[in-house]
Amino acid sequence: MRSEAAPQPGGLERFVSAGKGRGLRARRRYAVGELLFSCPAYSAVLTVSERGSHCDGCFARKEGLSKCGRCKQAFYCNVECQKEDWPMHKLECSAMCAFGQNWNPSETVRLTARVLAKQKTHPERTQSEKLLAVKEFESHLDKLDNEKRELIQNDIAALHHFYSKHLEYPDNAALVVLFAQVNCNGFTIEDEELSHLGSAIFPDVALMNHSCCPNVIVTYKGTVAEVRAVKEIEPGEEVFTSYIDLLYPTEDRNDRLRDSYFFTCDCRECITKEKDKEKLEIRKLNDLPSAETVRDMIKYARNVIEEFRRAKHYKYILEICELSLDKMGAVFEDSNIYMLHMMYQAMGVCLYVQDWEGALRYGQKIIRPYSKHYPSYSLNVASMWLKLGRLYMALENRAAGVKALKRAIAIMEVAHGKDHPYISEIKKELEDH
């Protein structure tokens, strides 16, 4: 299949967006599914858990990758990928050999080390910075609380500890700014099931402002970000992406935006809150629960979600999910987003322990409310249809599997583009079954 040509950002322009600072604006009309622009990663790092199944250089997923002859911990498609990645891999290669099991910098530290190295070797503007340069990134330094500043100092200490041979360090103040910029402008690269593959910096993509009613979606082809329209965009219209998971109600979304990006959203969805009632649906009982009971249950759900972030063991997470679903089910409908959150976590544990029937049961309960709560062409909905399709196929229910996989493809052809390798892989799954 012939690939669509990657457009230059000529149909787009950087401008000053009222109340938002700089932003990205369309200079011509874009149709749903049309590629606005693509942006190669300025810097990218593969997550440690995917080593051996994805190329450290281009992030391609394939079998039979060749390992680095020195550290034996980085894997590549071929010699070309290895040579291209060497300026970045050399930052870690000898240190990985020296530290052995004790080599454990965070992904943020690894990405920031690569940004430092790139700035040294490529002081000129790169192909990733046609509209916005890395040095122009917002750091929001004045908005960082003591906890965030302390975390950055911990990262700086780790950078000095694990990287020395091939890095030249600026002073501490400059490193604080750089880590704050990476924290605010970094991207998480995910696969077709939204599993974490790595982290990257895409400067031109970072120019886009946030809306909870986005008109574009960002997907990844290896270490290249692609931005496609999910609504018709007219000339002069601002291009908006979403920085966060849009499942949650207005208050939760804005808590997340303030914590990570230091602003409150004023999009139509946040002003009208029109989806909040459905997202927080209460059981239709003879005696309606009081407003206080509902508030207490929402508070309980948020506390449990926070507990998930600290939980280390899958068995413990599954127990929390089952207990929480019982407790919240007395007040909330199954379509309530806090119920869905618990079910999604429980489904993840079932997949991890290869309980396919259990995962399928949770997925079947999740998919319809997901389709209602999320925007059209949501990657979250596509990935859920994909998981369901693969589960049906594994459990030899081919008819249901084909139907679910085709639903996933219909969304992905708009979000990822019809020629994306993920779509080719899913179509091959359909042929093989």
Side-chain angles (χ1 to χ4, degrees), residues 106 122 256 268 356 393 427:
S106 70
H122 291 81
R256 170 76 195 281
R268 179 180 52 78
W356 308 136
M393 291 296 197
K427 287 181 175 177

Short mmCIF file of all heavy atoms in Angstrom, two decimals, residues 106 122 256 268 356 393 427:
data_model
loop_
_atom_site.label_atom_id
_atom_site.label_comp_id
_atom_site.label_asym_id
_atom_site.label_seq_id
_atom_site.Cartn_x
_atom_site.Cartn_y
_atom_site.Cartn_z
N SER A 106 15.27 6.78 36.12
CA SER A 106 13.89 6.83 35.65
C SER A 106 13.85 7.17 34.16
O SER A 106 14.84 7.65 33.59
CB SER A 106 13.11 7.89 36.42
OG SER A 106 13.55 9.19 36.05
N HIS A 122 23.43 18.98 18.14
CA HIS A 122 22.61 19.66 17.13
C HIS A 122 22.15 21.02 17.66
O HIS A 122 20.97 21.21 17.95
CB HIS A 122 21.38 18.82 16.76
CG HIS A 122 21.70 17.58 16.01
ND1 HIS A 122 22.14 16.43 16.62
CD2 HIS A 122 21.65 17.31 14.67
CE1 HIS A 122 22.34 15.51 15.70
NE2 HIS A 122 22.06 16.02 14.52
N ARG A 256 -6.38 17.33 37.22
CA ARG A 256 -5.22 16.74 36.54
C ARG A 256 -4.47 17.80 35.73
O ARG A 256 -3.23 17.86 35.73
CB ARG A 256 -5.70 15.60 35.64
CG ARG A 256 -4.65 15.05 34.69
CD ARG A 256 -3.63 14.15 35.35
NE ARG A 256 -2.49 13.95 34.49
CZ ARG A 256 -2.46 13.11 33.44
NH1 ARG A 256 -3.51 12.38 33.15
NH2 ARG A 256 -1.38 12.98 32.72
N ARG A 268 -15.75 24.17 25.76
CA ARG A 268 -17.22 24.06 25.85
C ARG A 268 -17.64 22.96 26.83
O ARG A 268 -18.56 23.12 27.62
CB ARG A 268 -17.80 23.78 24.45
CG ARG A 268 -19.32 23.63 24.44
CD ARG A 268 -19.83 23.37 23.03
NE ARG A 268 -19.13 22.27 22.39
CZ ARG A 268 -19.39 20.98 22.64
NH1 ARG A 268 -20.30 20.64 23.53
NH2 ARG A 268 -18.73 20.03 22.01
N TRP A 356 -8.39 -15.23 30.64
CA TRP A 356 -9.04 -14.62 29.48
C TRP A 356 -10.54 -14.43 29.69
O TRP A 356 -11.11 -13.42 29.28
CB TRP A 356 -8.80 -15.46 28.23
CG TRP A 356 -7.36 -15.80 27.94
CD1 TRP A 356 -6.88 -17.01 27.55
CD2 TRP A 356 -6.20 -14.94 27.99
NE1 TRP A 356 -5.52 -16.97 27.37
CE2 TRP A 356 -5.08 -15.71 27.63
CE3 TRP A 356 -6.02 -13.60 28.32
CZ2 TRP A 356 -3.78 -15.17 27.59
CZ3 TRP A 356 -4.74 -13.07 28.28
CH2 TRP A 356 -3.64 -13.85 27.92
N MET A 393 -11.19 -14.13 19.95
CA MET A 393 -10.45 -15.05 19.07
C MET A 393 -9.74 -16.13 19.89
O MET A 393 -9.76 -17.31 19.55
CB MET A 393 -9.44 -14.27 18.22
CG MET A 393 -10.05 -13.37 17.18
SD MET A 393 -10.97 -14.29 15.91
CE MET A 393 -11.09 -13.05 14.63
N LYS A 427 -5.51 -6.74 10.39
CA LYS A 427 -6.13 -7.37 9.22
C LYS A 427 -5.54 -8.75 8.97
O LYS A 427 -6.25 -9.68 8.56
CB LYS A 427 -5.96 -6.47 7.99
CG LYS A 427 -6.86 -5.24 8.04
CD LYS A 427 -6.71 -4.36 6.82
CE LYS A 427 -7.73 -3.20 6.85
NZ LYS A 427 -7.57 -2.28 5.72
#
